[in-house]
Amino acid sequence: MIYSYGFANYFGFKEGAEVSFELNSRVPKDVSFNREVATILGVKGANGAGKTNLLKGLGFLLDFCAYSFRRDVSEFIKADPYFDSQEPSDFYIDFKSGDYRYTYELGVSTKEVHYERLFRKSIKLVEGKSKGRKVCVFERKFNKIVKRLDEISEIDVISLRENASLISTAHNYNFSSSSRLLKDVFNFFSMHISNVIYTGMNDFAQDLDSIHKVSEFYNRVPEAFDFVKDMIKKSDLGISDIEIHENQNEKGEKYYYPLFRHEIANDYHFLTIFDQSSGTKSLYVKLQKYWYVLTLGGTLILDEFDLNCHPFMLPKLLELFESPESNKLNSQFIFTSHITEVLDKLTKFRTYIVNKENNESFCYRLDEIPGDLLRHGRPISPIYNEGKIGGVPKL
């Protein structure tokens, strides 16, 4: 579970950005659902303000810590500094895994890791009080480990790479006696799905190959398919059922595809996915990602999550992460949206605004705005449309 994350000197954010999921005791129960950390967080702002980069920073951090060792030794680190800055880009994330709360810090240029640090503190309660103190798990300076706990002494034999994190490297060394600590931390970073890459949004493809892969997954995992069918039937008034069918291509290889049942009077017809609306096609592919994160835990990061979806459908998707019944693992969902009405669902406690001045991006959570302009229970969208809280284009 993520408490907060941030970065500085990264793309358009010169001085940096801090994004907090934390909810204090003053947050109403119909927003917090008795959680100390939000499970949904929305980002609004004008085109070019830096919304995608705010998500990209989180996606980069999670991906780098989990998978950077798999990349080619000569591949550059995909973290661009602010314009022509020669200083490293700095990142941090504060998160919980198991019985510990961790803080991870990273400084990188496009060529190498400058520093990497991990701290932890026990969050077990003993007689109502927090146990333990914050300790340094390891500290790395360039390609040298300068500090580490005894319980991860196996990392002493690691040959660090300039373009890979210690966490990713240690995981791929596959130590026979690898500590639980490093496994838990790696698992946290690996449990994420994002449609934001180095170059921006990469929408989950709806091409034939992607449809076949998703259909094969649904055929193999009926619980996921039931979830998807239920959501699509609620959103598309013409569909009464979906079936997965099997066929073979010219090479004799199996592939799977969906057929959508449409009832007409006392009869019915099956149509292919290419006969469906763009919204239905999008949901068919994307809902696999929702199911995966809700079922296994982790973080879903979606730029323009409202793409191809009717506005009335968006609250239903968000409620999947709000409800303790559908989100038993407290999985988290952070996204951008161009539909203003989503602000009224999020409230000021779960909305970030991104602005830009003199080509420098900055962000703030709406409950940071002082005064009573934004009162809980009153719609935010009219105030946003009037330009009173920022994040709108100057036309």
Side-chain angles (χ1 to χ4, degrees):
M1 177 184 295
I2 300 171
Y3 287 94
S4 64
Y5 74 92
F7 48 80
N9 191 32
Y10 178 70
F11 285 91
F13 290 87
K14 180 182 179 181
E15 296 302 321
E18 292 191 16
V19 177
S20 175
F21 288 80
E22 291 193 73
L23 304 173
N24 60 37
S25 58
R26 296 190 300 273
V27 177
K29 299 300 182 184
D30 62 340
V31 175
S32 70
F33 292 87
N34 293 313
R35 297 182 175 110
E36 62 176 352
V37 177
T39 53
I40 58 174
L41 207 62
V43 180
K44 288 284 291 179
N47 287 344
K51 302 186 301 297
T52 300
N53 287 337
L54 195 67
L55 269 58
K56 190 188 297 181
L58 176 60
F60 164 78
L61 191 55
L62 297 174
D63 186 78
F64 185 77
C65 289
Y67 305 119
S68 53
F69 186 79
R70 298 182 184 180
R71 314 259 160 74
D72 189 89
V73 67
S74 62
E75 185 173 331
F76 72 95
I77 298 173
K78 297 177 179 178
D80 290 1
Y82 181 78
F83 287 99
D84 58 355
S85 172
Q86 300 302 306
E87 297 299 312
S89 299
D90 301 299
F91 300 84
Y92 87 89
I93 186 166
D94 180 10
F95 64 96
K96 180 174 75 172
S97 181
D99 295 327
Y100 293 94
R101 183 163 175 172
Y102 294 90
T103 302
Y104 174 78
E105 300 172 354
L106 174 71
V108 296
S109 65
T110 57
K111 295 181 179 179
E112 61 184 343
V113 174
H114 286 234
Y115 66 86
E116 193 176 6
R117 295 185 285 262
L118 180 67
F119 302 88
R120 78 172 182 183
K121 180 178 180 180
S122 173
I123 54 175
K124 279 186 175 179
L125 295 180
V126 177
E127 295 180 355
K129 296 182 179 180
S130 181
K131 180 182 178 182
R133 58 184 178 84
K134 189 174 183 179
V135 297
C136 179
V137 176
F138 71 78
E139 181 177 5
R140 165 192 183 176
K141 293 183 179 179
F142 294 95
N143 278 356
K144 184 178 180 181
I145 299 171
V146 298
K147 187 183 295 185
R148 52 113 178 118
L149 292 178
D150 290 341
E151 65 185 278
I152 58 169
S153 60
E154 65 263 31
I155 68 173
D156 291 345
V157 303
I158 287 177
S159 177
L160 292 171
R161 272 180 23 198
E162 293 179 340
N163 67 343
S165 78
L166 188 155
I167 294 168
S168 178
T169 303
H171 176 76
N172 283 275
Y173 264 63
N174 197 24
F175 295 108
S176 59
S177 60
S178 181
S179 72
R180 182 69 186 176
L181 189 163
L182 292 178
K183 286 182 178 179
D184 284 347
V185 171
F186 171 83
N187 288 338
F188 165 79
F189 284 111
S190 66
M191 296 296 287
H192 72 278
I193 294 176
S194 175
N195 71 347
V196 184
I197 58 175
Y198 175 63
T199 54
M201 188 185 78
N202 180 32
D203 194 29
F204 299 121
Q206 298 176 40
D207 57 34
L208 192 58
D209 186 55
S210 296
I211 292 168
H212 287 170
K213 287 180 178 178
V214 168
S215 299
E216 188 277 331
F217 178 82
Y218 293 152
N219 184 70
R220 182 165 41 88
V221 186
E223 312 94 276
F225 189 39
D226 289 341
F227 166 80
V228 172
K229 285 195 292 185
D230 182 61
M231 293 296 293
I232 289 179
K233 285 191 290 184
K234 288 177 179 177
S235 65
D236 190 319
L237 299 179
I239 296 173
S240 60
D241 199 8
I242 309 172
E243 295 181 359
I244 301 294
H245 289 255
E246 178 185 315
N247 207 340
Q248 290 186 345
N249 60 22
E250 295 176 350
K251 298 179 181 179
E253 299 168 331
K254 281 184 183 180
Y255 68 88
Y256 296 86
Y257 62 94
L259 289 178
F260 296 77
R261 176 171 168 152
H262 293 256
E263 295 189 4
I264 303 174
N266 296 322
D267 199 3
Y268 62 87
H269 295 271
F270 280 100
L271 300 178
T272 72
I273 192 169
F274 301 105
D275 298 310
Q276 309 307 315
S277 68
S278 58
T280 297
K281 286 187 285 188
S282 179
L283 281 173
Y284 181 78
V285 175
K286 289 180 179 178
L287 282 172
Q288 180 206 30
K289 321 301 179 185
Y290 286 79
W291 181 87
Y292 190 90
V293 172
L294 287 167
T295 303
L296 300 181
T299 308
L300 181 63
I301 306 167
L302 293 185
D303 194 17
E304 298 188 25
F305 99 108
D306 49 13
L307 195 64
N308 298 321
C309 280
H310 191 282
F312 286 3
M313 187 63 191
L314 304 183
K316 299 299 180 184
L317 294 172
L318 298 181
E319 286 166 9
L320 291 172
F321 285 83
E322 283 184 323
S323 169
E325 286 73 34
S326 56
N327 187 9
K328 294 180 172 63
L329 300 178
N330 292 321
S331 302
Q332 291 170 292
F333 181 23
I334 181 170
F335 59 90
T336 68
S337 173
H338 285 294
I339 296 178
T340 303
E341 286 71 22
V342 77
L343 294 173
D344 301 327
K345 173 69 173 175
L346 291 169
T347 75
K348 64 180 180 179
F349 304 104
R350 300 180 297 188
T351 302
Y352 268 84
I353 297 293
V354 180
N355 278 320
K356 178 181 280 188
E357 291 183 3
N358 299 319
N359 272 319
E360 182 177 345
S361 299
F362 61 95
C363 70
Y364 47 91
R365 206 167 81 174
L366 284 183
D367 61 335
E368 296 174 20
I369 297 176
D372 60 357
L373 177 64
L374 300 174
R375 295 183 181 179
H376 184 64
R378 293 184 179 180
I380 297 175
S381 52
I383 301 172
Y384 174 83
N385 289 331
E386 292 172 6
K388 293 181 178 180
I389 55 177
V392 294
K394 297 177 182 179
L395 301 177

